[in-house]
């Protein structure tokens, strides 16, 4: 909700370009912490990888992960987490 996100394709690979707002500091957003969180999630196999950071342009590029919207009934199912 605080970034402008764009889907970018390079051949078969897809990325998300995430532009932080100029008000990022007012919102207490911390891009370095966000990049760290991406790296940890990727190392655990549960998230996408941060592939580039351009602080001058307030831009972070991350791998795009295919997914789908979950329905609330799925999430409430006892076997969902497994």
């Amino acid at each position: 909700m605080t970034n402008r996100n764009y889907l970018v394709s390079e051949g078969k690979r897809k990325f998300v370009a995430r532009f932080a707002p100029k008000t990022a500091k007012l919102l207490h957003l911390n891009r370095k912490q966000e990049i760290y969180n991406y790296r940890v999630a990727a190392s655990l196999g549960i998230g996408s990888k941060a592939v580039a950071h351009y602080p001058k342009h307030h831009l972070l590029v991350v791998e795009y992960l295919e997914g789908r919207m979950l329905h609330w009934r799925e999430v409430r199912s006892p076997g969902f987490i497994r």
Side-chain angles (χ1 to χ4, degrees):
M1 293 176 62
T2 57
N3 291 285
R4 297 261 175 165
N5 299 298
Y6 299 90
L7 182 60
V8 179
S9 298
E10 180 183 49
K12 292 184 178 184
R13 296 180 69 195
K14 293 181 183 178
F15 305 91
V16 178
R18 299 173 48 87
F19 289 91
K22 293 181 181 181
T23 58
K25 288 186 181 183
L26 292 173
L27 297 170
H28 299 286
L29 300 177
N30 184 327
R31 190 63 101 186
K32 288 181 183 180
Q33 186 64 49
E34 183 180 2
I35 292 167
Y36 173 80
N37 293 342
Y38 269 105
R39 288 187 177 139
V40 170
S43 73
L44 296 171
I46 59 171
S48 60
K49 179 181 171 186
V51 294
H53 180 224
Y54 303 94
K56 179 179 176 182
H57 302 289
H58 310 283
L59 171 62
L60 175 62
V61 180
V62 299
E63 292 176 324
Y64 175 77
L65 296 179
E66 292 288 338
R68 64 180 179 81
M69 293 291 292
L70 298 175
H71 190 276
W72 65 267
R73 286 189 183 106
E74 290 177 287
V75 177
R76 289 187 176 182
S77 168
F80 178 76
I81 293 179
R82 278 181 248 137

